[in-house]
Amino acid sequence: MPSPFKNYFGDLHNHNQVGYAQGSLDRSFEIARNHLDFYAFTPHSYWPDVEEYDGKITHKWKNGFHIARSRWPEVVELARNFDQPGQFVTILGYERHGTQEGDYHMLYPDLQGDYELIEDLAELQTFARQRGCLLIPHHPANRLGHRGFDARKLAPEVSPVLEIHSEWGCAEHDRAPFPYKRHTEGGRWTKHTLQYYLNQGHRLGVIASTDDHLGHPGGYREGLAAIKATELTRDALFDALRNRRTYAVTGDRIELDFFLNDRMMGQELAFTKQRQLKVHVRGWDEIDRVEVLKNGRVIHRDFPVDKQPDHRAWDKPVVLRFEYGWGPWPALGWGGTADWNFTVNVEDGTLQEVQPCFTTGPFDEFRRDRILGQTSNQLKIQSFTALKQQVDDWSQKAIVMRIQGDANTKVSISCTQPSECQLTQTFAELAVSNEMLFTRPFPWESAMLHRLVFHNQWETQFEFEDDGEGEKDDWYYVRVIQSNGEMAWSSPIWVNKK
C-alpha cells in the first residue's frame, strides 16, 4: 500500500535584519520560495534574563528586539502574500533567548499575526498549548546556564521535537560530526545532547534548520527540517510535527523511512519482545553507511558504498552532481563574486529529479540562485559564488540530478558566465572518472561534473529483527552518512517496558 505521507523539506528557524542579523525581509521570503517547501521566519524578539555584557553587545540585541517588534506587521503581511498551500507554506514565528532555560522558537499554527512575548517560560508554554503553537528548542548542547536547553522544564505537548543540527553544529552526541564552533558559546555539553536526553527518558523527535544569520533560508549544509505530511498545508505540517513524523538532514534532501513492527518514526509501542525493523533510504550521493541505533549503540549497519554496479546498472537512474564555484582565494588579495549562468543538456537520457545545493554565502542583497527552467532534457541555472561568508570556507554550490540513461547518454554544461565555456561527457566516461570545467586560466573559477553514483549506491532498503526483555524502555533511530559527509537522522521509535 502506498504511504499516505510525502517528504517535505524546509527551514523552521532563520534570521535577517528584522532582528539583529543581515539581509532584507523580502529577500528571505524570495529565497525560501525559490527552493523550499515551507519556511518560518523567526526574528530575534526577546531575552527575559539578558545581562549587560562586554562591548555594548547587549545594546545590539535589544535594538534588534525593538526592530522585530516594530516591523512585525510587515512580517505578517509578507507571510500572507507568499503563502500558497500545496506549493509553498509560510509559518509565523519568533525566537526567545534564555540564558538559564535555553533558546526556543515559537511557531504559530496560522497567519493571524498575534505577537505574544511572554517572559515566564511556564506561562509561555500555557499560551502555546491554548493557542496551538509549538515551541522548538534549538542549539540544545550549550551548557546549562549558557543558553543550553534545560529539559527539566520541557513541556512535550508543545515541544515534541528538538532541533539537533544547524549552522551551530550537531547535537546528536558530544563527539558527533559537525562540532559546535560558529557562535559565541562554547562546545557541546554531553548532558545537553540528544542521546543523553533520550537516555533520561525524554521523548523527542528531531529536526534541523539553519539558524542562519545572513537571511538565507535553507542554506546548504546548515540544516533542513524534513516533515512527513499528507499534504503541503500548515495544518498537515503541524500535525506531523506534533506526532514527531520528522527527521533532520544537514544539506542533501535524503529521503528516509524507518518502521518498527510497522510503526513509523516518532511513535511509541507497547512492550513486545520481537521487533521487526525496516529502513529505506534514497540519497543524493553515494551512501557510505546506514546505521540503526538502540539506546545509543549501533546494532545494525548497511554499507551501500561497498556495492558494485552490475549488468543492470543502467536499468535505474544514476545520480550526477555538477558542482561549481572553486576560485580565487581571498587571502591572496584578488577575486570577487562570480556570476554563473549555465545550461545542462541531457542527450539520449531523461532528467527525472533535481536538487539544488545553494549555500548561504556570499551575502548579496540583489543576486539570487535560481533554477530558471527545467524540462526532461534541459536545466537552466542562474547563480553566484565567492569564497566569503561561507560555512567552513565552502565556496561551491551544486545542482544534483537523477537521470535515466545508459553508457551513451551525453551531458553537456554550457556556460555564458563567468565566461563562455563548455564541457561534454558521456555516462561511460563519468562512470570511470569525474571531469573538470575551467572557466578561465588559473586562478579563476572552475567546476566539476562528479563521477556517477549508481542506483545500488544511492538507494538502499533492508530489514532485520531485534528483541528486548522489557526491563526498561528502548529507543531506536536511524543515522545516514553519505560519502560527501551529508547526514540524516530519523526521529526515534520507542518500545515501552513491560
Side-chain angles (χ1 to χ4, degrees):
M1 177 183 295
S3 171
F5 303 112
K6 183 177 178 181
N7 297 319
Y8 296 102
F9 296 90
D11 195 343
L12 294 175
H13 180 199
N14 191 268
H15 302 291
N16 59 42
Q17 67 183 204
V18 178
Y20 56 77
Q22 299 181 62
S24 70
L25 187 61
D26 294 59
R27 171 180 173 271
S28 293
F29 277 89
E30 288 176 12
I31 290 171
R33 184 175 60 185
N34 282 344
H35 73 133
L36 299 177
D37 296 318
F38 57 89
Y39 169 51
F41 169 54
T42 51
H44 302 110
S45 293
Y46 68 125
W47 189 342
D49 55 355
V50 67
E51 299 177 17
E52 293 297 327
Y53 299 102
D54 289 343
K56 299 184 179 178
I57 190 66
T58 306
H59 171 75
K60 177 182 176 67
W61 288 321
K62 289 183 176 179
N63 185 60
F65 303 153
H66 171 74
I67 293 170
R69 176 184 288 274
S70 65
R71 297 189 62 185
W72 180 249
E74 296 176 53
V75 175
V76 175
E77 181 181 8
L78 275 175
R80 291 171 178 171
N81 291 342
F82 275 79
D83 189 47
Q84 295 179 286
Q87 298 181 47
F88 177 66
V89 170
T90 60
I91 297 170
L92 287 172
Y94 62 77
E95 176 165 341
R96 175 193 187 270
H97 294 335
T99 303
Q100 299 300 322
E101 297 158 333
D103 286 19
Y104 290 81
H105 49 284
M106 168 84 87
L107 302 177
Y108 281 92
D110 52 47
L111 300 181
Q112 181 175 307
D114 43 329
Y115 191 62
E116 298 290 338
L117 306 183
I118 298 170
E119 294 203 354
D120 181 78
L121 179 59
E123 292 179 10
L124 181 64
Q125 290 166 333
T126 298
F127 169 80
R129 191 178 302 111
Q130 295 171 346
R131 182 69 174 77
C133 298
L134 296 173
L135 282 167
I136 312 298
H138 55 261
H139 54 69
N142 290 337
R143 200 192 189 286
L144 184 66
H146 291 262
R147 293 174 63 192
F149 168 52
D150 185 355
R152 296 172 300 181
K153 297 186 178 181
L154 175 69
E157 67 276 18
V158 295
S159 298
V161 299
L162 179 71
E163 182 185 291
I164 65 164
H165 183 87
S166 70
E167 72 166 25
W168 281 70
C170 175
E172 181 192 9
H173 57 85
D174 59 1
R175 292 173 179 164
F178 307 100
Y180 276 22
K181 62 183 180 180
R182 284 181 57 79
H183 283 257
T184 311
E185 292 288 355
R188 296 172 292 195
W189 195 40
T190 307
K191 296 179 181 180
H192 277 186
T193 57
L194 173 67
Q195 289 189 357
Y196 196 91
Y197 292 137
L198 294 174
N199 275 328
Q200 297 303 304
H202 297 292
R203 302 207 168 182
L204 290 159
V206 299
I207 62 167
S209 283
T210 64
D211 198 2
D212 178 70
H213 282 56
L214 294 179
H216 192 293
Y220 184 63
R221 302 178 73 244
E222 294 182 67
L224 289 175
I227 295 181
K228 292 182 172 294
T230 54
E231 59 183 0
L232 187 53
T233 63
R234 199 173 301 101
D235 286 347
L237 294 175
F238 268 66
D239 179 72
L241 286 161
R242 291 190 182 99
N243 287 284
R244 302 183 296 236
R245 292 195 309 271
T246 62
Y247 62 100
V249 299
T250 56
D252 283 340
R253 300 173 194 191
I254 298 166
E255 296 178 76
L256 172 58
D257 286 297
F258 174 42
F259 296 90
L260 193 156
N261 291 359
D262 294 324
R263 302 290 291 274
M264 69 187 303
M265 65 177 74
Q267 297 191 357
E268 305 176 15
L269 288 77
F271 172 73
T272 176
K273 181 178 177 63
Q274 301 299 321
R275 295 115 190 241
Q276 184 74 19
L277 295 96
K278 301 178 183 179
V279 178
H280 184 196
V281 180
R282 300 176 84 241
W284 285 97
D285 193 69
E286 183 180 71
I287 300 172
D288 182 83
R289 62 194 183 277
V290 180
E291 301 174 328
V292 181
L293 293 89
K294 176 184 181 180
N295 301 332
R297 298 297 177 184
V298 175
I299 59 169
H300 186 88
R301 284 190 174 98
D302 180 63
F303 295 96
V305 67
D306 291 337
K307 297 175 183 177
Q308 294 297 316
D310 57 22
H311 66 280
R312 299 170 297 175
W314 302 114
D315 292 350
K316 297 287 184 70
V318 296
V319 165
L320 177 60
R321 182 177 299 248
F322 179 63
E323 187 174 6
Y324 56 94
W326 288 274
W329 187 26
L332 298 181
W334 69 77
T337 299
D339 291 301
W340 291 80
N341 273 281
F342 60 87
T343 301
V344 181
N345 287 296
V346 178
E347 182 181 333
D348 296 328
T350 303
L351 180 60
Q352 294 186 345
E353 296 179 73
V354 175
Q355 177 197 247
C357 305
F358 297 146
T359 60
T360 291
F363 173 73
D364 193 297
E365 186 58 46
F366 303 105
R367 289 179 169 94
R368 299 287 185 272
D369 299 301
R370 289 193 180 98
I371 297 176
L372 299 176
Q374 180 181 342
T375 68
S376 62
N377 56 21
Q378 189 178 80
L379 192 62
K380 293 185 177 182
I381 303 295
Q382 168 190 295
S383 190
F384 61 102
T385 60
L387 186 54
K388 56 184 179 182
Q389 297 161 314
Q390 299 282 11
V391 176
D392 296 331
D393 282 347
W394 191 284
S395 63
Q396 305 91 263
K397 301 179 182 181
I399 293 291
V400 195
M401 300 160 283
R402 286 198 180 112
I403 303 173
Q404 182 65 63
D406 58 30
N408 298 314
T409 300
K410 288 184 179 180
V411 174
S412 297
I413 310 294
S414 300
C415 290
T416 58
Q417 287 182 296
S419 69
E420 292 192 5
C421 55
Q422 186 171 356
L423 171 65
T424 300
Q425 292 282 285
T426 65
F427 273 9
E429 292 171 316
L430 290 169
V432 175
S433 175
N434 58 18
E435 191 51 88
M436 312 301 169
L437 173 64
F438 296 97
T439 65
R440 289 175 284 179
F442 178 84
W444 299 106
E445 290 76 18
S446 62
M448 180 169 70
L449 270 174
H450 283 240
R451 187 159 48 92
L452 294 181
V453 182
F454 287 94
H455 175 256
N456 62 354
Q457 295 175 325
W458 64 258
E459 181 170 18
T460 187
Q461 51 186 330
F462 57 88
E463 299 182 20
F464 70 98
E465 292 184 355
D466 188 48
D467 58 34
E469 299 303 321
E471 296 176 359
K472 63 176 182 177
D473 296 338
D474 292 323
W475 47 271
Y476 299 79
Y477 70 86
V478 174
R479 179 168 61 207
V480 181
I481 303 98
Q482 294 186 159
S483 293
N484 66 350
E486 298 305 307
M487 298 181 65
W489 300 264
S490 77
S491 284
I493 299 174
W494 292 265
V495 180
N496 294 331
K497 63 184 179 182
K498 288 181 179 177

